[in-house]
Amino acid sequence: MARLRGLGGVTFHHAGAFWFGVVAVTVGVIAHLPMYLMGRNIGYRLVGMPMDTPMTIGMAAIVVGLLASLYGLYPRSAEVTARAASLIRISALDDAPLSLTHVGLLLAMALAVMIDIMKPTALAFVMPGMTLEYGLKSPLNPGGSIPVAYVALSGIVGTVLGSFLWGWLGDRIGRRASILYAGIGFIATSICGAMPDFSWNQVMCFIMGMAVGGMLPICYALLAEAIPARHRGWLMILIGADIAGAYILTSWLATALVPTYSWRILWLIGMPTGVVFILLNIWIPESPRFLLAIGREDEARSVMARYGARIVDGTQSETAVEAKVNNRWSELVSPGFLRPTLVVGCLALGSGLVLFGFNLWIPTNLRKLGFTEADAILRNAALIGFPLTFLVAWLYGFWSSRKTIILLSSLTAASLFGFVAAGDAVVQNRWLLYILLVVPIWGISSVVAVLSVYSSEIYPTRIRAHGTGFAAGASKMGGVAIIALVVFGIAAPSISTIAFIGAVPMTFAVLLTALYGVETRKRILEEITAEELARAG
């Protein structure tokens, strides 16, 4: 078996196969560019064009490349099932000072989050051009035959499946390997920009959603296991706030490129950004906790040294607390973790309903009520709330993770119930409208960031990726339900109705967190696991 040792003990299981796959996928995408360039004299409109030979060969190369890369990353079964209880003092990672390796990891993960968020964000800028080119049904083209919302539905369903798939994959092949494979998926699905047929766009959007759905939860799992406990919470919240940067960058690219190169360019730029991310893998060491969990102690020692952790052998294994934890989905609802799973699931579902429900339809609802300045007031509400992200990071990292979740969820629920009480008359009072909008427009992004961080802290190493994948998937399920209403021709609910739909699960999330929430602030991950298992008896 070909193995290549990198900096800090990081290894590929089949390095040649992995890099061959990266090259094959990239070349396969490049083979699609002639088709795209053929349309440069007609505004890059490709609809109706037959797929040429280079494109067909390119698609085959992409499939081969994806399989080869997965083969190169996939571990031996023995490495996955290893149960060796190392005596390395894993808590030394939490005693280590922040080093350049930590900074490099944080920057790489910030880039990963930005690339990840840019994909679904670009959809909003892609759909108008796609609607006109394919003659789809939307407010821009009421006479179209196929609803353009099918594209959004394909993508959001893909994110749900991707969250669960990558949750399993992250605990199977490792955090770093899963993140890299998601990056290869970003490169491959950029061919959506050269697809002449709408049905192929739907397929690619679905696959792209799978890659997007998997990247974010695995990033948080890796960060939770590598960042020292005293810095973990607030730094991870700030990484989540990188969502705003993704929106700014995507809107700027759309403004600068789409008028000249059409909507397709926003998909095609996934290739260079994905390649850059893959090449920056040197800044993404594997999680030492994961390496110890699968018995790769020598590599764990090497990576811990890279992080500046003082490696000391203790008298008993700190990882022994996970000895009876099995690497499977059913573990999330086992007696030891059922309570935190209920907290995470309810909070995720509520945040998804607000993010893809209330926030999705509030512009439409405001315009239906004659509020012509809807875009401006939503922008202002977001700007007013943005500085509060830093306050949330401080509260989570230095006050209390549990109380921060309760506070944010309570404020969100209260704001939504305010819309329920005020009804359509809320547009008559601008100040009240601003006050009620700030929390769901800004606050829900903070809730999603807090949810991602919290779910990465409360589950043990053997199922941490499962847990973060579940949190991400559950939040997207709310989006599937809401977007499906549009796809199947059901009118958008009123402000009060959609606010009530989001407020109910957020209220239950407050109650469940108060009853069963675990405090994670500045605590070693293994201590949190021990407390949860002790609670279950």
Side-chain angles (χ1 to χ4, degrees):
M1 180 184 343
R3 297 174 64 90
L4 177 66
R5 181 169 296 277
L7 292 177
V10 175
T11 62
F12 289 107
H13 297 280
H14 298 272
F18 171 80
W19 289 111
F20 167 79
V22 172
V23 172
V25 170
T26 304
V27 170
V29 173
I30 293 174
H32 285 68
L33 295 183
M35 171 68 79
Y36 169 73
L37 294 175
M38 284 174 60
R40 62 183 177 274
N41 295 325
I42 52 174
Y44 296 96
R45 291 174 59 90
L46 307 183
V47 59
M49 290 186 180
M51 294 179 62
D52 58 14
T53 300
M55 179 178 285
T56 303
I57 295 174
M59 292 184 74
I62 289 172
V63 172
V64 171
L66 288 172
L67 293 175
S69 293
L70 181 60
Y71 175 74
L73 292 168
Y74 209 83
R76 298 186 304 252
S77 59
E79 292 178 321
V80 176
T81 58
R83 293 279 178 169
S86 172
L87 295 179
I88 292 179
R89 188 170 167 268
I90 190 65
S91 57
L93 279 168
D94 296 293
D95 300 329
L98 286 177
S99 64
L100 287 178
T101 301
H102 289 109
V103 173
L105 175 65
L106 287 165
L107 292 176
M109 292 299 94
L111 176 63
V113 170
M114 178 173 288
I115 294 173
D116 187 81
I117 299 300
M118 282 177 67
K119 298 296 182 180
T121 302
L123 192 60
F125 298 95
V126 162
M127 285 200 295
M130 185 182 291
T131 297
L132 296 177
E133 180 167 343
Y134 292 111
L136 306 175
K137 184 178 182 179
S138 81
L140 291 175
N141 185 30
S145 56
I146 302 174
V148 69
Y150 274 129
V151 179
L153 184 61
S154 298
I156 195 70
V157 170
T159 63
V160 173
L161 296 179
S163 296
F164 289 107
L165 175 61
W166 254 256
W168 170 80
L169 201 63
D171 285 327
R172 182 75 182 179
I173 71 173
R175 287 58 162 131
R176 175 178 182 263
S178 299
I179 291 170
L180 289 174
Y181 198 61
I184 298 172
F186 288 163
I187 299 173
T189 53
S190 65
I191 63 174
C192 193
M195 289 289 116
D197 187 74
F198 175 65
S199 59
W200 275 108
N201 275 275
Q202 288 181 273
V203 172
M204 288 298 110
C205 199
F206 172 78
I207 298 174
M208 187 184 297
M210 292 184 67
V212 168
M215 173 78 83
L216 203 60
I218 303 303
C219 286
Y220 278 108
L222 175 57
L223 286 171
E225 293 170 350
I227 303 300
R230 62 187 179 279
H231 299 295
R232 184 180 62 228
W234 69 272
L235 280 174
M236 289 175 67
I237 295 293
L238 290 181
I239 292 295
D242 198 34
I243 292 173
Y247 276 87
I248 293 171
L249 180 58
T250 304
S251 60
W252 174 76
L253 288 171
T255 302
L257 301 178
V258 170
T260 303
Y261 301 104
S262 86
W263 59 271
R264 295 178 178 277
I265 194 66
L266 293 181
W267 288 151
L268 290 172
I269 59 177
M271 181 185 69
T273 55
V275 170
V276 168
F277 178 69
I278 295 297
L279 294 178
L280 289 177
N281 77 88
I282 190 174
W283 293 105
I284 310 176
E286 182 56 272
S287 160
R289 283 181 162 92
F290 173 79
L291 292 172
L292 288 176
I294 62 172
R296 289 160 60 182
E297 183 173 317
D298 290 342
E299 292 175 63
R301 287 176 177 271
S302 181
V303 177
M304 287 178 69
R306 186 176 175 185
Y307 279 119
R310 191 167 63 92
I311 301 174
V312 177
D313 288 329
T315 57
Q316 60 182 7
S317 172
E318 292 177 316
T319 61
V321 67
E322 298 188 21
K324 295 183 179 179
V325 177
N326 294 304
N327 184 346
R328 58 192 183 198
W329 285 107
S330 60
E331 199 70 41
L332 297 184
V333 292
S334 65
F337 305 106
L338 177 59
R339 290 179 176 183
T341 296
L342 289 174
V343 173
V344 167
C346 193
L347 186 61
L349 181 61
S351 62
L353 287 171
V354 176
L355 185 63
F356 296 101
F358 182 87
N359 288 7
L360 177 67
W361 279 334
I362 190 65
T364 300
N365 281 318
L366 289 178
R367 287 189 178 89
K368 283 172 62 178
L369 295 173
F371 202 91
T372 57
E373 301 175 12
D375 290 343
I377 198 170
L378 293 172
R379 178 201 63 206
N380 293 340
L383 289 174
I384 291 170
F386 180 72
L388 297 177
T389 301
F390 298 95
L391 175 60
V392 172
W394 182 86
L395 289 172
Y396 191 94
F398 298 98
W399 177 49
S400 167
S401 59
R402 177 172 168 269
K403 292 177 181 177
T404 300
I405 292 174
I406 293 173
L407 177 61
L408 281 176
S409 301
S410 298
L411 288 174
T412 303
S415 173
L416 293 171
F417 278 124
F419 277 104
V420 174
D424 293 346
V426 71
V427 297
Q428 306 302 322
N429 188 327
R430 177 170 297 216
W431 285 108
L432 177 62
L433 183 60
Y434 265 122
I435 292 171
L436 293 179
L437 275 176
V438 166
V439 176
I441 296 299
W442 150 78
I444 200 61
S445 296
S446 293
V447 170
V448 171
V450 166
L451 169 66
S452 300
V453 177
Y454 191 68
S455 62
S456 70
E457 295 177 314
I458 62 174
Y459 293 108
T461 301
R462 292 187 186 278
I463 57 168
R464 182 162 291 116
H466 282 75
T468 54
F470 165 72
S475 67
K476 302 301 189 302
M477 285 181 181
V480 171
I482 294 296
I483 294 175
L485 294 177
V486 178
V487 170
F488 295 112
I490 301 174
S494 64
I495 290 179
S496 57
T497 299
I498 197 62
F500 182 76
I501 291 173
V504 171
M506 292 304 294
T507 302
F508 276 109
V510 172
L511 296 175
L512 288 172
T513 305
L515 290 172
Y516 306 134
V518 178
E519 180 58 55
T520 64
R521 179 182 65 89
K522 297 184 179 181
R523 295 184 63 191
I524 296 171
L525 298 176
E526 288 71 28
E527 288 182 1
I528 298 171
T529 297
E531 177 183 325
E532 291 173 329
L533 293 175
R535 270 178 152 187

